[in-house]
Amino acid sequence: MRYKITFAVGLALGYVLGTRAGRERYEQLRKSAREVAQHPVVRNAAESAGQNGRQFAVKTFAAVSEKVGDVVPESLAGRVRGLRDRVGGGAEDDWGTSNT
């Protein structure tokens, strides 16, 4: 219940800020958010979280596939193989990079 109330308050606050502040304030918030997202500490944390998530997915898939055998759909197995390649190869992901 606490999360529902928090969500509702956040939604209401966002609506009020959005309608009262106008375009200028929106652009200021957008610029601030972009600066935070491009900060090296934030980017490193996001990269670490992504890497940990991929490792967890690979380990979980291995544990589950041992239990269920060949029942795992090929589409899921293909995705996990792709994750396994990225984790094993040490490839960097594109998190936080801008194409603009």
Side-chain angles (χ1 to χ4, degrees):
M1 186 66 177
R2 182 179 80 184
Y3 297 111
K4 289 181 182 179
I5 292 171
T6 304
F7 177 74
V9 168
L11 188 64
L13 182 63
Y15 177 77
V16 169
L17 285 175
T19 56
R20 289 193 179 172
R23 185 72 177 178
E24 182 179 331
R25 180 67 180 145
Y26 169 76
E27 291 298 332
Q28 288 176 345
L29 291 170
R30 186 173 157 199
K31 181 182 175 187
S32 297
R34 186 178 299 128
E35 289 173 0
V36 167
Q38 292 179 351
H39 193 277
V41 173
V42 174
R43 291 179 61 154
N44 288 340
E47 185 177 323
S48 295
Q51 183 70 15
N52 290 340
R54 284 189 292 276
Q55 288 174 351
F56 180 75
V58 169
K59 289 177 185 176
T60 303
F61 176 77
V64 169
S65 64
E66 285 178 11
K67 301 281 186 195
V68 297
D70 295 331
V71 180
V72 176
E74 182 57 36
S75 61
L76 177 61
R79 286 183 178 208
V80 173
R81 276 194 294 273
L83 287 173
R84 190 178 301 145
D85 293 342
R86 287 180 77 177
V87 170
E92 294 185 26
D93 65 20
D94 296 331
W95 179 264
T97 58
S98 174
N99 293 332
T100 58

